[in-house]
Amino acid sequence: MPRSGFSILLTNSLVGVLVALVIIVVLSSLISPYFLSSYNMSVVARTLAFIGLISVGQSMLLILGELDLSLGMIGGLCGVSAGMLMVNIGIHPAVACLMALALGALLGFINGLLVAKLWLHSLVLTIGTAGIFGGANLVLTRGVAITGIPSNLQYFGRGDILGLPVPFVIMLVVLAIATFITLKTPFGRYMYAIGNNAAAARMLGIKVERIRILVFTCAGFLAALAGILMVARLGTAQPSIGESWVLPPIAASVIGGVATTGGVGTPFGAIIGATIIGIIENIIVLFGVSPYWQGIVSGVLVVVAISFDAISRRYIRREE
């Protein structure tokens, strides 16, 4: 029997989220005449880039069946570290950024190592490491922003390439690489296998611990990249960078069809989810609504997305 349109949406979450994105764009353009302006689209794209980079890393972890709540704090700490290396110590910006990226990868590696070797629950562990990384940020800066970021670095946060914001272009490149890895390489297949059943994957000879460590390391690297780009955009290394990067990437991943139980979804879906969140938050700003509502919106979207995921899974099992 041919499946109805509703059943197709339930069993293919990416189709559903793409339809939702189109509807939201159409409604937003009708609600506000400024929404589709080139300036506003540039603002949305530039803002999306930072959450998008974190979402790519978070989505890969969720596919693996893990979760990292410290990515925002890693991004903030690495952004501040890059600023301190450039301004306070006088290291060349390129070298300082490479060192900050290495720090992000190291912090992600530490998270992965603790999860893989000590069998710690990633959710509980990263709550603790988030506090450590956030505290280290405040210790280094004493709560004071670092100013004097070199202007040549600021281009990577404020500049454009062919009319597109540089951070957005960087995010697209990262997304293409991550999507290729997850969908077209043995490493990606191992990630899905581990997310579906880690014990079975281990019996098949997959190096489960090694894959976990590598994915956590990649997520830390992407968080550091987002933090550095935010420093470049602001022109200062703010201690508050990353504080708002905890819930939105998780919401974006879940909205984009990445299952919280692992083994399902793609980084591309996570970016679509991040785009939906970004557009909704942009409409809130265009209407002059308090930005404090953004947290509520993200929370509601997470609840709705998780509920939809649970309903669709029950529907699929019933159909089978």
Side-chain angles (χ1 to χ4, degrees), residues 62-299:
L62 286 169
I63 290 170
L64 198 63
E66 305 292 348
L67 183 66
D68 192 340
L69 296 181
S70 70
L71 292 180
M73 297 299 100
I74 290 177
L77 178 58
C78 292
V80 163
S81 298
M84 293 188 71
L85 289 171
M86 286 181 277
V87 176
N88 296 355
I89 301 179
I91 295 177
H92 189 278
V95 177
C97 289
L98 288 175
M99 293 174 68
L101 289 172
L103 175 62
L106 175 62
L107 297 179
F109 173 82
I110 292 172
N111 280 341
L113 187 66
L114 292 173
V115 169
K117 298 302 183 181
L118 298 183
W119 294 66
L120 300 178
H121 195 290
S122 58
L123 174 62
V124 178
L125 169 70
T126 55
I127 289 175
T129 56
I132 294 172
F133 302 151
N137 187 341
L138 294 176
V139 168
L140 288 174
T141 62
R142 297 183 181 180
V144 178
I146 300 169
T147 59
I149 302 299
S151 57
N152 56 351
L153 179 66
Q154 294 180 29
Y155 167 78
F156 291 95
R158 302 176 180 178
D160 297 308
I161 298 177
L162 299 176
L164 295 174
V166 173
F168 183 72
V169 173
I170 293 173
M171 184 209 71
L172 290 179
V173 172
V174 168
L175 174 62
I177 295 172
T179 301
F180 176 80
I181 290 174
T182 53
L183 298 181
K184 299 296 183 179
T185 68
F187 184 87
R189 291 192 290 274
Y190 297 158
M191 287 171 53
Y192 286 104
I194 295 169
N196 280 308
N197 192 323
R202 191 175 285 107
M203 292 177 63
L204 292 173
I206 297 174
K207 305 295 185 182
V208 174
E209 286 74 20
R210 182 181 300 175
I211 300 295
R212 280 176 174 156
I213 292 172
L214 286 173
V215 176
F216 270 98
T217 302
C218 290
F221 177 88
L222 294 179
L225 179 58
I228 293 169
L229 290 176
M230 180 57 78
V231 169
R233 179 188 182 187
L234 298 175
T236 60
Q238 299 280 354
S240 60
I241 290 175
E243 290 180 355
S244 61
W245 294 351
V246 178
L247 185 59
I250 300 173
S253 298
V254 176
I255 291 169
V258 183
T260 56
T261 52
V264 177
T266 64
F268 176 74
I271 293 300
I272 299 300
T275 304
I276 290 175
I277 293 176
I279 290 175
I280 292 175
E281 291 182 348
N282 180 255
I283 286 296
I284 290 175
V285 173
L286 288 179
F287 271 84
V289 179
S290 170
Y292 297 117
W293 281 93
Q294 293 180 7
I296 296 177
V297 170
S298 296

Side-chain angles (χ1 to χ4, degrees), residues 1 3 7 11 312-320:
M1 179 182 295
R3 292 189 299 170
S7 67
T11 55
S312 64
R313 286 177 180 280
R314 284 198 294 268
Y315 182 87
I316 292 170
R317 285 197 296 268
R318 189 164 62 248
E319 288 290 299
E320 293 173 346

